[in-house]
Amino acid sequence: MDSPPEPIASLLPFVDRGATTPPASPRTEQSTPPTPSTSAAPETYLELIERISTPTAGESSNDLSSAPDETQHPRTPPRTGKDRADGPQITGTPIVHKASSYRGHSVASLVGKQNAKIIRPQYAKEMRPKLAELPFDEFMAEFMEGPELPSESVLKIPDMDKGKLMGRKEEDVCVELCKMAQIVFDSCPHGEKLAAKNTRQHPDNTDHDDYSEQLRADISCYPVHPQATADYASATADADKFQAQTRWAWISLWVEVKTAHNDCPFEMQNPTEDNFLRGGDGAAMTLGQMAEYMAKIFRRQHRTHCFSLSVYRGRARMMRWDRAGAIVSTPIDFVANQSLIHTVFWRYASMDQKQRGFDPTVIPATPQEIEEMRTCPAPTEWVNACRRASLDRPGWPIYKILMRRQDLVDPRELTPLTNGIDPVDPEPKDPDRAANPDASFLVGMRCFAADSPTGRGTKCFIAYEVSRQRLVFLKDYWRPETVHPDRREGDVLKLLRTRNVKFVPTPVAAGDVYNSEDGLDVQKTRTQEHLNKDKTTKREHPAQVHYRLVVKEIARPLDDHHDPYQLVKVLFFAFEAHRQAWEQEHIIHRDISATNILMFVYKDEKGRTWVIGLLNDWELCKFLDDIKKGATRPGRSGTWQFMSARLLLNPDKQHELADDLESFLHVLRWMCLRFYEHRLTHSPPELRDHVLTFYEAIGVRRDDHEDTGGAQKYITMCDGYNPVPLLDSDSPLDELLRNLASVFRAHYAAVEPKKPVKPVRKERQPIEDAADSDLLLQSMLSSGSFTDDEDDVEPQTPVVAQELVNHTPIRNAFGKALRRPASLWELNKMDDQFEAFEKSPVTQRSILRSSQQSAGSKRAAESLPDAGKASSSRRARSTAAAGDLPSVAEAGSAVDASSNVD
C-alpha cells in the first residue's frame, strides 16, 4: 500500500518511494530568513525539490549545472605551482598526523605490550615540540606559589631511606614517597585534604573501551571525601605499602617513577639547557606513557590543567600539563636536600582546587538533579538508552556544568532545521525555571572523548538542561585563541541557522568558559607562553581557550543506517548542508568524516518517524576570506582516514573545496568496507591490511620530517577505480562509487597534470532506469537541479581533465543513484566487518554503542525505519569472526551520542 508523501525535514528525509502524489507548484521564498512558525504545514518532499531548483525573486539561479560564478559559487584561491606536491608552500593550516587525528577510526589494536611500542612513540612525537623547560624556582613562583614550608621541627617529617630512593626497585621508591607525602598532606591546614597512594600494582578496573586500558600510575594523590575513597580503596591492597586502585576519575596529582636513566624522558644526571629532552627508545616510551596517563585524566575529569612529577633515583622534575603541552621544571636533587620535595608537596597541598587545575564551573550534581535527569522524557528509546548509559557508571561521577546566561541562544532567531520542525520549544513545566532560565547542564559518562593530551581535547556528553528539563547534547573542547569571535563554532551554527542553511545542528548555548561571571577571567592554556616558535609556520603557538557548545539534537552515528539507500540519503543531506554553507555563506567545513555525518530521527505531529542527515562538528570550518590569509596556527588536524590524498601527501597544501568533496567519497567507501559485501569480506586479515595501507599508512618527508600519507589513495584517485568493489556490481551503491571515482579521476587529471593517467577498462554497463520509477525520484530528474551525462559510469579514454570547482558533479552522482528504483536497492547491510579487529578504537566505539543500547530497554536496539522495503529488515551476518585475526603491527562530532571526533 502506498504511503502519503512525507513531511520534509529539508531535503530527502525519509523518502517514501512508493508515493504517487503529483508534484506541487513551485513555492516562492522570502529573500530574508522566514520567521519560524508552528502554524505552517510541513513541506512535502515534492514541494521541496521544486523549490530548491527554482530561483526566487531577488535570488540568483541555484542551477549548479550552469557555469560557476564566484559570487554564488565561491572558490578557494587558485593554486600556484608551489602549491602542488612538488613545491610545498604554506597557504593554509598545515595538517599534522597526531595520534588523535586517526586513532578514533583505527582498525589496529591499541592494547598489549607490542602495540604500546607503536602507540607510545607516536604520543612522544606529538609531545616533544610542546614541552618547555623552566628553572625550578621560576616554575614554583609562577605555578605553585603558596605559603612557605614550616620548619622541620614543626612538620617532623622523618628522613626518607636514601638507599631505597637510590635503589633499583620502583616499589620501594613509591612507598618512601607516599610516607613522606602523607605526612605533609596531613600537616597542611590549607586546601582540600589529600591521600598519597601507591597504585603501581593496581590498574583502573573501571576503564573499559577507552583506547588503551589497564594502565596504572605509580603514585596517585586522591581526595579523601567518602565518594572518592570508596572508589579507589582496594580490599586486596597492602595498607602498609599505601596501596590502592588507580582511579583516573579522582587523581589530583600523580607521580611517574623510573630507576633506569635510559627510560627517563628528561635528562636527570647531567642536565643542561640544550639537552633536557632525552632521545632513545626508552625515553620515547616513557614520554608516550606519561602522555597516555595525562590523556586518561583529561578524558575522565573536568580539568584546566594538571600537575605531575617525574622521579629518577633521588631527582625529580615538576610538570604542569594543559591542552597546549607541558612545562617541565629543571631537576631537583631531593636526596641531597629533602626539603625540596617536601616543599613541592606542601605547596600543592596548600593550593585550592582551581589552582590545582579543577574547573570551577563544574560542581557535583545534587541527588535531586540526578533524579530529574534520570526521569525526564527522552525523544526516542535510543536517546533514553544513551542517557541511562551515562548514569550510574563506576568511575564516572555526575557533575553540573555552569555556563553563563549570555551564552544561551534565542531559538526565535533561528530558522528550522527542516521545514517540519519548529526550533522554538514549548516552555518548561516549572514556571519559576521558565521565568529565570539559567545555563546549567548535568553530565555523566562521556559519549566521546579525544585520546590526545594536547589540542582540542573534545569531550561530548548526553546532558540534562536543568532550566528546560530536557535532554540535549553538550560538546566541550579547547579552541585556538586566534579564532575570531565571530568564527567560533556556536557563532557559525547560529549564522547558518539564521540564514536558512538546513541540516546543521540547532545551537542552544555556546561560549568561552570563564572562571567568574564578570567575563574577565577566561580559561586558557599557559604552556604556549614558554614554547619556541612553530618550525613550520614560524609563528608563536596560540593559547587554547576553553569552549562549550550545547545543541538540541541528539543524533545517531552513521553506522546505524538501516540499508544502503538510507546511507546514501543521509550522506546526501550532509552534502546539501555543505553545499548550502559554501554557496550561501562561503564557509568550508574542513573535517568531513564518518563521525561528523549523523542521522537524526524525529517524529512529526502525527507520530510518524522520519530520518534525516546532519553535518556536525564545524569547529574547524573556515570562511573564504580567512582561507586567503593563510595559516593562523600550527598543528591543526582533520581526521586522517578521510582526508584527501593530496592533503595527506602534501601537509603544506591549502585546504580547498575539492578536498572536502573528496572526503565524502572516502566516507562512503569506508562505510561500504564495513557494512556491505565486497571482495575482502570473507578475508578479515586482508581487509585489515587494506585499511591499514589505504587509510592509516604514514610516511615522513625527508626535508622537514613532516608526516605524510595517502599514497594508495592518490593512485586510486588518479586512476579512477574503486579499490574494493562491491560484489553486487549492479547495485546503485556500486554505481555511485564508480561515478564518484570518475569525477575525481577527471579532477586529478586537471590538478595533477604530471601524473600519467591509466585508461580504465569499461567492464560494466550503466544501469537503465526502470519504467516504474516512483514519482518522487522522477521529480528530481525533471527538477532542472540535476544533470545526467550519457556515459558517466566510467571515465572516457583518454580522460578529460575537469577540475572540481563546485558541488555539481558530486550532487549529480548522488541524484542519479537516489533516482534508481527501489527494486535495485535490495542490498543487505551486514554486521560491522571491522568488529573482527579486536581492541581497535572503531570496535570499541561499536561496543560502547551496544552497551548504551543494552543499558536501556530492548526497544532501544531496534533498527531505524527502513526505506519501505520489507526484505531489507534482515541483515546478513558477516563471516568475520572476532578472535580469528593475529596481532599485526599497524602502519603508522548535533552530535552523535557516541562519536564526535577530535
Side-chain angles (χ1 to χ4, degrees):
M1 179 177 177
D2 291 340
S3 304
E6 67 193 85
I8 191 64
S10 205
L11 206 89
L12 290 165
F14 189 7
V15 174
D16 176 8
R17 286 167 286 153
T20 56
T21 305
S25 301
R27 293 178 53 180
T28 302
E29 287 193 331
Q30 300 173 348
S31 58
T32 58
T35 302
S37 172
T38 56
S39 60
E43 185 177 24
T44 67
Y45 168 71
L46 293 174
E47 290 174 325
L48 177 75
I49 292 298
E50 285 292 325
R51 179 175 57 77
I52 65 173
S53 61
T54 305
T56 58
E59 292 184 341
S60 58
S61 172
N62 194 35
D63 183 0
L64 295 183
S65 61
S66 61
D69 179 84
E70 291 199 9
T71 58
Q72 283 81 36
H73 304 281
R75 290 188 54 176
T76 44
R79 292 174 312 282
T80 66
K82 293 183 179 181
D83 188 40
R84 301 189 188 278
D86 56 350
Q89 181 185 23
I90 300 173
T91 51
T93 301
I95 301 300
V96 173
H97 183 271
K98 289 176 55 179
S100 59
S101 73
Y102 79 100
R103 277 183 64 185
H105 295 275
S106 179
V107 301
S109 175
L110 296 183
V111 298
K113 293 183 178 180
Q114 292 300 319
N115 292 294
K117 292 180 180 179
I118 299 170
I119 295 165
R120 287 181 176 173
Q122 293 173 355
Y123 270 122
K125 182 178 180 180
E126 176 183 332
M127 286 302 306
R128 289 180 71 88
K130 299 179 181 180
L131 295 171
E133 189 181 41
L134 200 62
F136 175 77
D137 291 340
E138 293 183 24
F139 183 100
M140 298 297 288
E142 185 168 354
F143 300 116
M144 299 185 70
E145 186 178 11
E148 292 298 322
L149 180 73
S151 66
E152 295 297 327
S153 61
V154 174
L155 290 182
K156 297 180 181 180
I157 304 175
D159 288 340
M160 291 180 283
D161 188 324
K162 295 182 180 181
K164 292 181 178 180
L165 292 178
M166 299 296 291
R168 295 290 185 181
K169 293 184 178 180
E170 293 181 5
E171 177 75 11
D172 290 345
V173 178
C174 291
V175 173
E176 288 298 305
L177 289 175
C178 284
K179 286 180 183 179
M180 175 273 301
Q182 194 59 58
I183 294 175
V184 174
F185 290 158
D186 293 341
S187 303
C188 184
H190 315 287
E192 181 177 313
K193 292 298 183 180
L194 297 169
K197 295 297 181 180
N198 172 11
T199 52
R200 64 184 312 273
Q201 302 292 342
H202 300 278
D204 189 340
N205 54 19
T206 70
D207 194 24
H208 302 294
D209 305 319
D210 189 41
Y211 302 101
S212 304
E213 300 171 10
Q214 302 300 307
L215 303 179
R216 52 208 175 200
D218 287 328
I219 296 175
S220 303
C221 298
Y222 293 120
V224 296
H225 58 73
Q227 186 180 9
T229 302
D231 199 7
Y232 61 73
S234 173
T236 61
D238 187 341
D240 292 336
K241 294 183 177 181
F242 296 86
Q243 290 182 351
Q245 295 288 150
T246 298
R247 283 293 184 268
W248 302 113
W250 297 111
I251 290 176
S252 181
L253 169 73
W254 58 281
V255 182
E256 178 64 21
V257 175
K258 294 298 178 187
T259 58
H261 197 239
N262 285 342
D263 293 333
C264 293
F266 313 114
E267 180 59 46
M268 292 289 197
Q269 294 178 335
N270 300 295
T272 67
E273 292 184 2
D274 298 329
N275 73 337
F276 94 96
L277 278 173
R278 299 188 66 254
D281 294 342
M285 287 291 290
T286 300
L287 180 57
Q289 176 187 9
M290 296 174 73
E292 274 192 299
Y293 292 177
M294 199 61 254
K296 284 284 184 185
I297 293 173
F298 280 153
R299 284 202 296 276
R300 284 292 189 101
Q301 301 183 27
H302 299 273
R303 302 291 290 260
T304 58
H305 57 275
C306 184
F307 290 93
S308 71
L309 283 90
S310 177
V311 173
Y312 163 74
R313 304 185 73 185
R315 293 175 175 84
R317 288 178 182 260
M318 278 299 299
M319 297 184 68
R320 182 192 182 276
W321 304 73
D322 61 26
R323 286 295 180 179
I327 300 172
V328 186
S329 77
T330 52
I332 56 174
D333 185 344
F334 63 86
V335 170
N337 184 359
Q338 294 197 13
S339 67
L340 291 173
I341 197 71
H342 298 168
T343 299
V344 168
F345 283 96
W346 177 264
R347 290 278 185 91
Y348 191 83
S350 302
M351 296 163 72
D352 60 30
Q353 291 294 83
K354 176 184 172 183
Q355 292 170 324
R356 292 174 182 174
F358 291 89
D359 187 344
T361 69
V362 180
I363 61 177
T366 66
Q368 178 182 348
E369 291 169 335
I370 296 173
E371 186 61 23
E372 286 184 10
M373 180 178 182
R374 193 189 313 278
T375 57
C376 77
T380 67
E381 283 296 326
W382 184 82
V383 173
N384 185 37
C386 293
R387 180 252 309 273
R388 293 184 184 183
S390 70
L391 299 172
D392 304 324
R393 298 298 293 267
W396 293 94
I398 311 300
Y399 292 102
K400 180 162 71 172
I401 293 176
L402 307 176
M403 297 179 67
R404 301 183 304 160
R405 288 192 179 185
Q406 52 264 51
D407 294 334
L408 293 172
V409 176
D410 187 348
R412 294 169 297 182
E413 299 177 0
L414 307 179
T415 57
L417 170 69
T418 73
N419 291 69
I421 299 180
D422 190 342
V424 180
D425 293 314
E427 292 295 329
K429 298 178 182 179
D430 189 332
D432 292 335
R433 298 187 188 186
N436 300 287
D438 64 5
S440 59
F441 305 88
L442 265 61
V443 298
M445 180 179 177
R446 88 290 179 270
C447 298
F448 169 82
D451 66 319
S452 172
T454 64
R456 292 175 287 166
T458 304
K459 295 189 288 189
C460 301
F461 305 87
I462 298 290
Y464 173 66
E465 186 179 7
V466 176
S467 63
R468 302 195 69 88
Q469 300 171 278
R470 63 177 179 178
L471 296 176
V472 291
F473 199 89
L474 188 147
K475 178 180 177 182
D476 180 293
Y477 64 96
W478 294 73
R479 67 170 184 84
E481 189 178 36
T482 52
V483 172
H484 189 276
D486 294 335
R487 304 303 202 236
R488 296 174 299 184
E489 185 175 14
D491 299 286
V492 171
L493 290 180
K494 185 176 178 180
L495 172 67
L496 294 176
R497 289 295 301 276
T498 55
R499 301 294 179 85
N500 211 28
V501 173
K502 308 296 185 183
F503 316 123
V504 296
T506 306
V508 171
D512 295 334
V513 181
Y514 292 85
N515 289 316
S516 58
E517 278 290 331
D518 57 19
L520 300 177
D521 185 15
V522 68
Q523 293 182 5
K524 62 181 179 180
T525 56
R526 296 286 307 279
T527 300
Q528 75 285 341
E529 300 170 10
H530 301 276
L531 296 177
N532 295 324
K533 289 184 178 181
D534 180 77
K535 292 182 179 180
T536 302
T537 64
K538 311 302 181 185
R539 299 182 180 182
E540 301 289 346
H541 293 260
Q544 300 289 113
V545 176
H546 198 183
Y547 187 78
R548 291 193 181 113
L549 168 68
V550 181
V551 297
K552 179 180 176 181
E553 293 81 16
I554 302 175
R556 300 185 70 160
L558 189 59
D559 304 5
D560 287 353
H561 69 274
H562 183 271
D563 54 44
Y565 184 87
Q566 192 174 79
L567 168 64
V568 173
K569 182 187 65 178
V570 169
L571 282 170
F572 185 46
F573 280 123
F575 183 84
E576 281 296 302
H578 190 277
R579 181 183 66 84
Q580 293 174 25
W582 178 247
E583 294 179 2
Q584 294 175 212
E585 303 301 327
H586 299 186
I587 299 174
I588 188 171
H589 187 276
R590 302 198 324 136
D591 192 16
I592 303 299
S593 72
T595 49
N596 288 340
I597 297 173
L598 307 171
M599 304 172 59
F600 181 56
V601 183
Y602 73 97
K603 291 186 178 181
D604 63 13
E605 68 281 356
K606 296 182 179 180
R608 296 176 297 180
T609 301
W610 308 112
V611 180
I612 62 170
L614 299 179
L615 183 56
N616 180 51
D617 205 355
W618 290 79
E619 66 190 84
L620 291 185
C621 75
K622 273 199 172 183
F623 288 67
L624 181 59
D625 291 341
D626 296 331
I627 295 175
K628 296 176 181 179
K629 297 176 183 177
T632 58
R633 61 183 291 256
R636 183 175 294 183
S637 62
T639 305
W640 189 266
Q641 284 87 345
F642 308 105
M643 291 180 190
S644 73
R646 299 181 70 225
L647 277 177
L648 292 175
L649 282 171
N650 182 9
D652 309 310
K653 178 189 176 299
Q654 180 188 45
H655 196 120
E656 302 173 291
L657 173 64
D659 297 307
D660 264 20
L661 301 183
E662 183 179 326
S663 293
F664 279 98
L665 171 59
H666 296 312
V667 170
L668 180 60
R669 285 178 172 176
W670 181 267
M671 301 306 291
C672 290
L673 285 172
R674 292 180 62 184
F675 296 109
Y676 295 96
E677 191 173 15
H678 46 72
R679 64 179 179 84
L680 299 181
T681 290
H682 303 289
S683 180
E686 290 186 54
L687 175 58
R688 180 161 61 177
D689 287 345
H690 168 77
V691 174
L692 290 172
T693 301
F694 197 88
Y695 293 100
E696 299 188 25
I698 310 169
V700 178
R701 199 163 57 183
R702 290 184 178 180
D703 56 349
D704 56 7
H705 304 288
E706 288 287 335
D707 290 317
T708 63
Q712 291 299 317
K713 272 187 186 179
Y714 182 84
I715 293 172
T716 59
M717 300 306 289
C718 290
D719 290 347
Y721 70 91
N722 181 13
V724 185
L726 302 179
L727 293 188
D728 186 350
S729 60
D730 293 330
S731 69
L733 182 58
D734 195 67
E735 179 192 22
L736 175 59
L737 290 168
R738 299 195 305 270
N739 285 343
L740 291 176
S742 298
V743 170
F744 284 102
R745 185 191 188 210
H747 171 69
Y748 271 68
V751 299
E752 299 283 351
K754 296 181 181 180
K755 165 68 179 177
V757 181
K758 301 177 182 177
V760 176
R761 186 174 57 187
K762 190 170 182 178
E763 297 178 347
R764 305 181 180 92
Q765 295 299 318
I767 302 173
E768 298 296 331
D769 287 323
D772 59 351
S773 296
D774 61 84
L775 293 178
L776 289 174
L777 296 182
Q778 290 279 3
S779 67
M780 294 179 67
L781 286 166
S782 60
S783 68
S785 181
F786 296 88
T787 60
D788 268 337
D789 296 327
E790 289 297 321
D791 184 12
D792 63 346
V793 175
E794 299 289 348
Q796 298 178 7
T797 303
V799 65
V800 177
Q802 183 175 355
E803 185 175 1
L804 195 56
V805 297
N806 59 36
H807 292 72
T808 304
I810 309 298
R811 195 166 187 253
N812 288 339
F814 272 97
K816 180 172 184 177
L818 291 169
R819 292 195 298 268
R820 293 306 189 194
S823 60
L824 297 179
W825 284 93
E826 300 295 335
L827 185 65
N828 283 327
K829 180 186 178 185
M830 307 180 70
D831 288 343
D832 189 354
Q833 297 173 64
F834 286 8
E835 288 182 357
F837 312 141
E838 289 186 297
K839 299 297 184 182
S840 67
V842 69
T843 303
Q844 290 183 357
R845 194 165 56 245
S846 177
I847 293 172
L848 177 61
R849 284 196 301 275
S850 298
S851 68
Q852 289 169 342
Q853 293 173 346
S854 62
S857 64
K858 290 183 179 180
R859 291 181 59 194
E862 292 176 354
S863 62
L864 290 168
D866 63 16
K869 309 187 299 296
S871 63
S872 293
S873 62
R874 298 184 62 187
R875 295 185 180 180
R877 181 167 295 276
S878 170
T879 58
D884 291 343
L885 300 181
S887 176
V888 298
E890 58 269 48
S893 313
V895 272
D896 162 18
S898 63
S899 52
N900 283 53
V901 295
D902 187 24

